[in-house]
């Protein structure tokens, strides 16, 4: 985001969307979600590469995960992350 703000340009590379989402969830949550929540990640085995700035997409994913956790904090159950 800083690079984009400073120059108006970002570096876009082909990324494995399934791996990127899975890694972001793991990095964000560690081994388990707080409060006994369960995160389910549902994704087709094969997806075409996504041409993107990985850092920007990861930031969006972290914001979505944070919002989901805030909303679900007082509710039992699971949060499903799905690409389809």
């Amino acid at each position: 985001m800083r690079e984009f703000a400073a120059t108006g340009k970002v570096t876009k590379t082909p990324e494995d969307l399934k791996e990127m989402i899975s890694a972001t969830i793991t990095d964000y949550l560690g081994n388990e979600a707080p409060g006994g929540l369960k995160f389910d990640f549902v994704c087709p085995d094969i997806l075409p590469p996504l041409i993107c700035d990985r850092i920007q997409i990861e930031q969006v994913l972290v914001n979505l995960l944070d919002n989901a956790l805030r909303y679900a904090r007082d509710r039992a159950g699971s949060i499903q992350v799905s690409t389809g």
Side-chain angles (χ1 to χ4, degrees):
M1 294 298 280
R2 289 184 185 135
E3 179 183 349
F4 177 74
T7 66
K9 298 178 183 178
V10 294
T11 303
K12 294 181 181 179
T13 56
E15 298 289 343
D16 179 336
L17 185 59
K18 183 175 181 176
E19 181 278 325
M20 184 172 36
I21 294 171
S22 180
T24 302
I25 290 171
T26 301
D27 291 346
Y28 181 76
L29 295 176
N31 292 328
E32 61 183 64
L37 287 171
K38 181 181 175 193
F39 262 81
D40 295 318
F41 174 48
V42 179
C43 182
D45 287 333
I46 300 173
L47 289 173
L50 177 66
I51 307 298
C52 66
D53 178 332
R54 184 178 180 114
I55 301 298
Q56 286 184 350
I57 300 300
E58 287 174 343
Q59 288 174 336
V60 169
L61 291 170
V62 166
N63 287 340
L64 290 170
L65 290 168
D66 190 54
N67 290 341
L69 283 175
R70 252 190 248 146
Y71 177 76
R73 186 166 295 161
D74 298 328
R75 294 165 176 80
S78 66
I79 297 171
Q80 186 177 60
V81 178
S82 176
T83 60

